Amino acid sequence: MSGKGAPQATGTVDATGLDVVVIAGTWHETITDGLIAGAERALGASGATYRVVRVPGSFELPLVAKAALEAGADAAVALGVIIRGGTPHFDFVSNAATDGLTRVALDTGKPVGFGVLTLDDEAQGIARAGLPGSEEDKGFEAADAAIRTALVLRALRQAQ
């Protein structure tokens, strides 16, 4: 696992007034629940208002993120787990989720925190899910990135 080069935490930001929607798939429940808990820790500490919605899988994340942002949310956090299997399905779903979420952010002009884990096996997900004993907390990181980006965008827009 590569955590090398990750930014060092610079403390909690004040995201009071931001409305964030966390969208999470339902596959691989233990890992996904860990990702959600991490996102909730970041959002709760920041003071942002948030809600969690569930979708069937990672493929559905872009559509629901777009709907949430178009309905007025300031940011979205997309959480999903895709584990490589023996068919090309992994590649199709991973690419669709990644490309779709990028497109949503660019089309709406609002941040989408990327917490979609693309894994070779379940152990890699457990190590990244922010669970007791995990080495990383990708749900926290995705939410933190989304709120920090939303604050940067707010400051840029107010400076005009």
Side-chain angles (χ1 to χ4, degrees):
M1 170 174 354
S2 176
K4 295 180 181 179
Q8 297 301 311
T10 57
T12 303
V13 295
D14 181 2
T16 303
L18 286 184
D19 178 38
V20 181
V21 178
V22 177
I23 304 113
T26 56
W27 284 75
H28 308 287
E29 184 177 21
T30 299
I31 299 169
T32 303
D33 287 351
L35 294 172
I36 292 169
E40 290 179 324
R41 281 191 298 277
L43 294 165
S46 76
T49 300
Y50 71 91
R51 61 197 170 285
V52 177
V53 297
R54 302 299 293 261
V55 296
S58 294
F59 188 83
E60 293 77 21
L61 293 170
L63 177 62
V64 176
K66 185 173 190 272
L69 295 171
E70 288 178 344
D74 297 302
V77 180
L79 305 175
V81 179
I82 309 167
I83 299 179
R84 186 179 307 279
T87 69
H89 183 73
F90 171 87
D91 297 310
F92 298 137
V93 174
S94 297
N95 289 335
T98 302
D99 294 346
L101 291 168
T102 300
R103 181 175 155 196
V104 166
L106 294 172
D107 288 353
T108 63
K110 295 180 180 182
V112 178
F114 189 80
V116 179
L117 303 184
T118 54
L119 311 164
D120 289 320
D121 56 47
E122 187 176 13
Q124 290 177 338
I126 298 294
R128 291 166 175 79
L131 299 167
S134 292
E135 299 171 37
E136 297 180 87
D137 190 347
K138 295 299 184 183
F140 184 99
E141 291 175 20
D144 186 63
I147 58 177
R148 287 176 188 272
T149 304
L151 292 171
V152 167
L153 291 171
R154 177 192 282 171
L156 288 170
R157 290 177 180 133
Q158 289 175 347
Q160 294 181 359

